[in-house]
Amino acid sequence: MRKLGFIGRLPWRWALCFALLTYANSAAAWCQMRTGEDESEEGRCEVEGELMAWPSYCLSYSLNDADSESMTLDEIRPIVARSFDNWRGISCGDDDFPLSIREDAPRMCAMESHDTSGPNVHTIAFTSEWPENYDQNAYAITVVWFNPRSGAILDADMLINERRGPYGVCPLRGCQPDANGVTTVDLENVITHEIGHFFGLAHSQFNFATMHAFSPAGETDKRSVSSDDVEGICTIYPPMASPVCEPDPRNGLGEECRAQGGCQATLGTDLGGLGLFWVLVGWGWVRRHRTRD
Amino acid sequence: MRFSYRSAVVVALAITALLITPLTPRTAHATMAQRLSMAELVEQADHIATVTVLDATPRYDARGRIVTDMRLRVDEALHGCVAGDELMMVTFGGVIGDLGMRISGEPSFSAGERFLLFGRAWEGLVRPVGMSQGTLPIRDPGTNQIPLVGPGGQGLTFPDEDHGAHDESHSAEAPRALDGVLQEVRQLLRQ
């Protein structure tokens, strides 16, 4: 009781402590991605290489045109839009969120790719064809393509691992495990975090940041962009009177994605179509032979 | 103006908070993956060893990604490989000409750097277990001092499976003495 009395009599001191802690955490807790290949030293942002950022203040993205295993494209679309809106809703001082985001029509692009000589797609795709050599435990990865000399981001692709689902919409308090012990992963939580990387933000040390590295299953906290994230994005993209605005991907928006060298690369969707094709061919062959017999 | 004992405690706490904050670990880059404990790293690894990067060569793979082949010399083998062996570890990302690619959560090292590898065999190559969780960088703080192992998992976001409480058994949250980590790995291998 004596302790409570002590606290009760000293609210301003505890408020000061809290303010200092918050300030200490939020001050430069955010980090910006860099082109450097060396591991970061513990306790610091990476220091090697150029800082990575989009040269244009207008960006675009396209969803892959296929449903996911746990959600339809029509269900995914508004969640992704809300995830971008979580960032759009912030302001940089007296200015609005500096970036303009355009959603393009879905494309046949279920993989990470960049073509230096042809059109590209900034894709957001669910994939059940999770590459064997990726970490099977990963929920999502963000691939960023960049110019190593300037740090300019050229392309970014977000892949979500179907095998780590199911994905869905959790109530604001988060998802709890069901009777089978399976916890739905809140898609908006994952994508809001990944969008930060799409913009060029790295992880933050601030516990309550969207860009914080740790996240319990079923969490929804990262939907709310924190002051630390705001400071990061507003520093990387300071409000400008007339910024460069070229939302199209490098060399234009492609109908599908092609890997470097022009090799068509539409795994997932195409494999499904190809599979159906061979099933039909096989069915036709069996029917033909049965008729002959 | 007089300061009471309590005021001094409060001010000391505040100053301590300010001082320790920059010392706490920070990671970089993206990806959401499952956090692996040291036991899980050991269980999933075909090769466990301290290694030195001999060279790193980027190339395009069949999928059009930039990958980097890292030639590793095994310094001290704990499981699978043998000391003196060379392993070829492939990591995603790298720079070729005017194009760079980074996959969040992938480890990246330069020639001469050392790390504790938890690798799984994959098509004649080695992939780190759990992306950067399977590569714990070894820092040599100087002569006559114990080498330290830094935390793995640079660039990863870890959703904890126990719904909120962080897994304290994780490989390393802060740098630890290399000897202690190797001893822990050996104990887990014996189990």
Side-chain angles (χ1 to χ4, degrees):
Chain A
M1 293 304 288
R2 187 166 179 270
K3 272 189 179 176
L4 283 173
F6 169 64
I7 293 167
R9 284 199 302 276
L10 298 170
W12 67 270
R13 288 185 172 93
W14 290 102
L16 174 68
C17 259
F18 179 76
L20 284 167
L21 275 166
T22 308
Y23 172 77
N25 252 334
S26 63
W30 60 275
C31 288
Q32 186 173 357
M33 291 171 75
R34 281 184 181 267
T35 60
E37 294 186 34
D38 288 339
E39 289 281 336
S40 59
E41 293 179 33
E42 294 83 43
R44 293 181 188 170
C45 298
E46 286 191 343
V47 292
E48 297 289 328
E50 301 296 323
L51 291 164
M52 285 165 64
W54 291 92
S56 166
Y57 273 41
C58 302
L59 307 175
S60 63
Y61 70 91
S62 304
L63 289 169
N64 180 38
D65 63 358
D67 293 340
S68 87
E69 287 175 3
S70 46
M71 304 175 84
T72 66
L73 184 60
D74 286 341
E75 290 171 324
I76 295 167
R77 248 177 127 156
I79 295 172
V80 174
R82 278 205 304 275
S83 304
F84 275 99
D85 285 344
N86 293 336
W87 288 93
R88 279 199 193 99
I90 68 174
S91 54
C92 298
D94 295 332
D95 297 292
D96 293 335
F97 180 65
L99 302 176
S100 166
I101 317 294
R102 185 186 76 194
E103 182 193 349
D104 290 324
R107 290 293 194 267
M108 190 189 292
C109 182
M111 68 177 291
E112 70 289 38
S113 64
H114 184 75
D115 189 347
T116 53
S117 55
N120 287 287
V121 180
H122 303 155
T123 196
I124 297 177
F126 282 79
T127 178
S128 52
E129 305 291 331
W130 193 249
E132 187 196 338
N133 44 13
Y134 282 166
D135 181 14
Q136 299 305 306
N137 299 310
Y139 285 110
I141 61 165
T142 300
V143 182
V144 178
W145 306 81
F146 59 89
N147 179 325
R149 290 185 189 141
S150 65
I153 298 176
L154 306 171
D155 192 350
D157 301 309
M158 196 186 298
L159 295 184
I160 299 148
N161 184 2
E162 290 274 24
R163 297 179 190 175
R164 293 295 295 156
Y167 296 91
V169 180
C170 292
L172 205 55
R173 65 181 182 281
C175 278
Q176 299 299 319
D178 63 16
N180 299 318
V182 177
T183 305
T184 297
V185 180
D186 186 68
L187 186 59
E188 189 177 333
N189 197 64
V190 172
I191 293 188
T192 304
H193 175 91
E194 295 296 333
I195 287 169
H197 297 302
F198 186 93
F199 292 152
L201 279 169
H203 281 153
S204 169
Q205 181 194 344
F206 183 46
N207 292 343
F208 303 105
T210 290
M211 298 314 296
H212 186 58
F214 299 97
S215 171
E219 183 207 53
T220 59
D221 294 348
K222 288 183 172 50
R223 293 178 186 175
S224 305
V225 176
S226 75
S227 57
D228 180 63
D229 305 303
V230 172
E231 187 184 322
I233 207 76
C234 295
T235 305
I236 297 172
Y237 301 99
M240 295 171 73
S242 45
V244 175
C245 183
E246 292 169 1
D248 287 344
R250 189 186 192 194
N251 303 322
L253 175 62
E255 285 300 314
E256 54 193 22
C257 47
R258 287 174 181 273
Q260 181 66 16
C263 175
Q264 188 173 324
T266 51
L267 282 176
T269 308
D270 268 6
L271 283 177
L274 201 62
L276 181 63
F277 170 75
W278 284 111
V279 166
L280 288 172
V281 167
W283 181 66
W285 186 85
V286 168
R287 273 192 62 137
R288 194 173 168 186
H289 281 72
R290 277 187 180 166
T291 308
R292 279 182 185 171
D293 293 344
Chain B
M1 186 177 172
R2 281 187 61 194
F3 282 98
S4 68
Y5 170 75
R6 287 167 185 163
S7 300
V9 168
V10 170
V11 171
L13 278 170
I15 291 170
T16 307
L18 278 171
L19 289 174
I20 65 171
T21 297
L23 301 177
T24 50
R26 197 177 291 175
T27 55
H29 301 298
T31 297
M32 281 188 137
Q34 184 180 354
R35 187 181 203 177
L36 299 174
S37 66
M38 182 68 88
E40 287 167 323
L41 287 173
V42 169
E43 187 184 333
Q44 293 182 29
D46 299 308
H47 302 288
I48 304 174
T50 60
V51 297
T52 301
V53 180
L54 297 176
D55 51 50
T57 311
R59 62 178 168 86
Y60 286 104
D61 74 355
R63 198 178 154 104
R65 301 169 296 194
I66 297 178
V67 300
T68 298
D69 292 325
M70 272 186 211
R71 202 160 55 93
L72 309 174
R73 183 188 66 221
V74 175
D75 298 324
E76 184 174 354
L78 284 83
H79 177 62
C81 52
V82 177
D85 275 0
E86 281 190 11
L87 299 174
M88 189 66 85
M89 182 176 84
V90 65
T91 61
F92 296 102
V95 172
I96 298 178
D98 288 337
L99 184 63
M101 189 196 98
R102 293 205 75 162
I103 288 192
S104 14
E106 275 290 298
S108 55
F109 292 97
S110 304
E113 290 188 291
R114 296 176 66 209
F115 59 92
L116 174 59
L117 168 71
F118 296 85
R120 65 180 174 86
W122 176 74
E123 294 188 354
L125 302 167
V126 174
R127 282 283 299 145
V129 173
M131 301 171 83
S132 56
Q133 294 182 81
T135 58
L136 280 61
I138 298 173
R139 312 271 187 230
D140 194 349
T143 45
N144 301 326
Q145 291 189 42
I146 302 164
L148 299 174
V149 177
Q154 276 82 1
L156 290 171
T157 296
F158 302 108
D160 294 336
E161 296 300 328
D162 52 355
H163 315 293
H166 291 311
D167 180 4
E168 297 300 333
S169 66
H170 186 244
S171 50
E173 287 299 333
R176 295 169 55 191
L178 175 61
D179 290 347
V181 175
L182 296 183
Q183 194 176 349
E184 184 184 347
V185 172
R186 287 192 185 96
Q187 279 177 354
L188 288 165
L189 284 168
R190 280 196 290 269
Q191 288 171 7

